[in-house]
């Protein structure tokens, strides 16, 4: 080290490693600006934060920025720290520059554009994004549309990349520059020091030993007060890199197996004295229909004056069974199908793309098949889109009707009804859905997943004067699809078996929010769930918790289904006392709502306890103030997490293997 102390500044700046260090500092600055862009773009999600806490979030983000930059520039790093004289060559350093600037530019792009995408999934984008959209044939068009819609972010991204390129510092050398013959020996200590800092940066700690585990995404919890703040601490390149590959679950062993089964078991068997009701079952999963968009479901929050954007669904609520406390388990479309149709929640990883996506499952389709039901799944996007086709087959659906089947039906207008981005317009596809159900065998269980209420939030031109954009671009799409559902039911009423059909309507997840009440860790999962039986007496508004994973058990209970099955939910008709709760996963926190309490848990320790009915914005953390309540909720939550992991690992999501 004495060698470096005696070096002149001019000589020091000719070291390749120093070139990397200077540009690394510039990259850290640029990534910090990306975080500012992210925070400002989503400021409504973080209202109420004081300045010291914001500084803490940004300081925590520095650890993840350092790690991400090391990951992205590893090739340039290796090239520039080598203690050999050929690293002085001009062409060599030019190549090293490109291996630095290009990856950092990619990092800037995904960081900036995630500032917009965060509003749709409430977390940083990770590697699952590439799997989720791997089957999209029009991905380039969707990407271009995103660039056009968020043009201001394009400008920001270009500006930040320009800073990186403009201030990239290169040693002013020519090929004749030489050092002494002892250069390699003298520079070796610096090389070793750089390697140490690289390892420390990747691990997030200066302690590089077996006792100090490397940093992961959960380390963001150290800086946050609520789960969505982890997105501020993290950065998108880091999330993508760290989630590349499949996640392997491990049994957390909170309880011994015998005790676990006594605390919580996902096995259900509703023994009935009455006979099975062979009703047709129709399940509508509505894209992005947050509970916020309903006027009727928000009277307690916003009063009678709030009319919402779902007049038909609100009218249907008066003839249906629903609850005031209805929630999704995840924030992505790919999480809704397993939850709604198979009682499999989003906990830890997306079932579609995880290590255990080929596990055997029981679903509403496979279980009702034992009672002689035919089953079919409908989605107006290109066949295979979002992985829905694959999961429908895994779940036991006998047939799948997508864009291909729609276009082959001469009663409709084929690709003329395509919205240009995702799928067939909802109105046309729901009419196709209704027509198809008139032709399939009875009894049946069918599911239709709508698509129009999705970015870029377009509706058919013929409705441009009828459904106007409200406080958010999505609201016109919500009104359009609500009207499409009205027309769908008008068609369904013409069938003689209409009264013998149970309709279930829910949503995959929430989307754009214009009330801060729906940006909290709890309410961001609020979606509608209703059961409608035209000829039945299934009417009422319950106070019980009703989650997506409760839908399959509830349907089976209503039909008097008497065979055992596995579901991480329960019939809402049987919920009381100990089993009346809902669990969801707001990465990286597990959450449980029980009674008047709401608990957050990071897998190791409790992070927050709130009383949402009195504290809508979850500002008053009551952690450690109600130890008995915390212990009770934590016991339930841990038991379900352990059962989920254990059964995923063991492939025991059905009764018989």
């Amino acid at each position: 080290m004495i060698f470096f102390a005696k070096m002149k500044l001019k000589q020091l700046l000719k070291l390749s490693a120093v070139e990397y260090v200077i540009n690394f500092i510039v990259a850290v600055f640029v990534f910090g600006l990306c975080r500012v862009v992210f925070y400002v773009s989503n400021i409504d999600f973080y209202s109420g934060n004081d300045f010291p806490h914001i500084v803490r979030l940004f300081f925590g983000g520095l650890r993840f920025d350092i790690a991400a930059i090391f990951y992205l520039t590893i090739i340039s790093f290796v090239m520039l720290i080598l203690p050999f004289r050929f690293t002085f060559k001009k062409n060599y350093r030019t190549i090293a520059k490109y291996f630095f600037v290009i990856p950092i530019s990619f990092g800037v792009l995904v960081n900036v554009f995630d500032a917009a995408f965060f509003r749709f999934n409430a977390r940083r984008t990770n590697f699952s994004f590439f799997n989720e959209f791997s089957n999209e044939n029009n991905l380039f068009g969707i990407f271009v549309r995103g660039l056009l819609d968020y043009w201001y972010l394009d400008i920001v991204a270009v500006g930040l990349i320009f800073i990186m390129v403009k201030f990239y510092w290169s040693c002013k050398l020519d090929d004749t520059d030489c050092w002494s013959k002892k250069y390699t020996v003298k520079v070796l200590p610096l090389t070793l020091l750089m390697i140490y800092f690289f390892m420390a940066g990747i691990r997030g700690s200066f302690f590089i030993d077996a006792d100090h585990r490397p940093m992961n995404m959960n380390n963001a919890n150290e800086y946050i007060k609520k789960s969505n703040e982890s997105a501020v601490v993290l950065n998108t390149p880091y999330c993508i890199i760290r989630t590349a590959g499949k996640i392997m679950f491990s049994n957390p062993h909170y309880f011994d197996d015998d005790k676990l089964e006594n605390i919580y078991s996902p096995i259900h068997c509703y023994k009935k004295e009455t006979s099975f009701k062979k009703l047709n079952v129709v399940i509508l999963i509505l894209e992005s229909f947050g509970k916020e968009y309903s006027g009727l479901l928000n009277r307690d929050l916003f009063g009678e004056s709030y009319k919402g954007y779902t007049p038909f669904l609100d009218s249907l609520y008066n003839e249906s069974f629903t609850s005031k406390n209805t929630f999704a388990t995840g924030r992505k479309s790919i999480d809704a199908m397993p939850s709604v149709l198979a009682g499999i929640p989003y906990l830890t990883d997306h079932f579609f793309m995880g290590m255990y996506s080929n596990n055997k499952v029981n679903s509403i389709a496979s279980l009702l098949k034992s009672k002689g039901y035919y089953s079919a799944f409908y989605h107006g996007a290109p066949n295979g889109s979002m992985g829905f086709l694959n999961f429908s087959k895994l779940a036991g659906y006998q047939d799948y009707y997508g864009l291909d089947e729609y276009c082959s039906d001469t009663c409709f207008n084929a690709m003329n009804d395509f919205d240009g981005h995702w799928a067939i317009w909802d109105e046309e596809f729901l009419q196709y859905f209704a027509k198809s159900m008139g032709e399939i065998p009875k009894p049946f269980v069918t599911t239709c997943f709508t698509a129009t209420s999705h970015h870029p939030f377009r509706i058919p031109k013929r409705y441009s004067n009828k459904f106007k954009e409200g406080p958010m671009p999505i609201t016109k799409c919500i009104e359009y699809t609500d009207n499409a559902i009205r027309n769908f039911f008008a068609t369904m009423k013409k069938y003689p078996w209409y009264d013998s059909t149970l309709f279930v309507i829910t949503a995959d997840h929430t989307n754009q929010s214009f009330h801060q009440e729906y940006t909290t860790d709890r309410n961001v999962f609020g979606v509608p769930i209703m059961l409608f039986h035209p000829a039945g007496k299934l009417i009422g508004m319950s106070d019980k918790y009703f989650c997506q994973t409760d839908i399959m058990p509830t349907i089976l209970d209503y039909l008097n289904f008497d065979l055992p099955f596995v579901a991480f939910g329960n019939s809402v008709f049987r919920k009381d006392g100990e089993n009346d709760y809902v669990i969801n996963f707001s990465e990286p926190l597990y959450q449980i709502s029980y009674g008047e309490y709401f608990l957050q848990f990071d897998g190791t320790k409790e992070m927050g306890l709130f009383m949402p009915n009195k504290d809508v914005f979850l500002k008053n953390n009551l952690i450690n103030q109600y130890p008995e309540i915390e212990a009770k909720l934590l016991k339930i939550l841990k038991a379900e997490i352990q059962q989920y992991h254990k059964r995923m690992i063991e492939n025991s999501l059905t009764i018989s293997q």
Side-chain angles (χ1 to χ4, degrees), residues 221-381:
N221 293 347
E222 299 174 19
Y223 306 94
I224 67 174
K225 290 182 178 178
K226 51 185 181 179
S227 65
N228 64 9
E229 290 175 349
S230 63
V232 179
V233 181
L234 295 167
N235 62 72
T236 307
Y238 181 86
C239 293
I240 292 173
I241 292 168
R242 286 305 302 263
T243 55
K246 297 178 180 179
I247 299 173
M248 294 185 65
F249 289 176
S250 61
N251 189 333
H253 294 292
Y254 297 126
F255 309 100
D256 293 335
D257 286 350
D258 292 341
K259 186 177 181 181
L260 175 65
E261 292 297 325
N262 292 328
I263 298 172
Y264 171 77
S265 172
I267 298 176
H268 307 274
C269 187
Y270 303 136
K271 294 295 184 181
K272 299 286 186 175
E273 296 180 359
T274 54
S275 60
F276 180 77
K277 293 185 287 190
K278 225 165 193 177
L279 301 175
N280 301 308
V281 178
V282 176
I283 303 172
L284 286 177
I285 303 177
L286 308 178
E287 172 66 49
S288 300
F289 260 64
K291 184 179 174 183
E292 178 181 8
Y293 309 139
S294 165
L296 184 143
L297 297 180
N298 286 286
R299 287 175 180 171
D300 291 345
L301 276 179
F302 309 132
E304 297 287 339
S305 61
Y306 178 65
K307 301 303 180 183
Y309 301 88
T310 59
F312 175 73
L313 288 180
D314 283 356
S315 69
L316 198 62
Y317 277 120
N318 294 320
E319 305 174 45
S320 306
F321 175 84
T322 187
S323 172
K324 296 179 181 178
N325 297 301
T326 51
F327 296 92
T329 63
R331 291 277 294 158
K332 284 178 172 285
S333 298
I334 56 173
D335 300 321
M337 279 183 66
S339 294
V340 173
L341 306 179
I344 300 174
Y346 166 50
L347 288 177
T348 309
D349 194 16
H350 306 286
F351 182 81
F352 270 31
M353 301 164 296
M355 183 109 177
Y356 311 100
S357 59
N358 290 324
N359 277 9
K360 186 177 180 181
V361 303
N362 52 207
S363 74
I364 191 67
S366 66
L367 293 169
L368 289 182
K369 185 178 181 180
S370 67
K371 298 294 186 180
Y373 277 64
Y374 166 81
S375 57
F377 187 88
Y378 296 77
H379 186 223

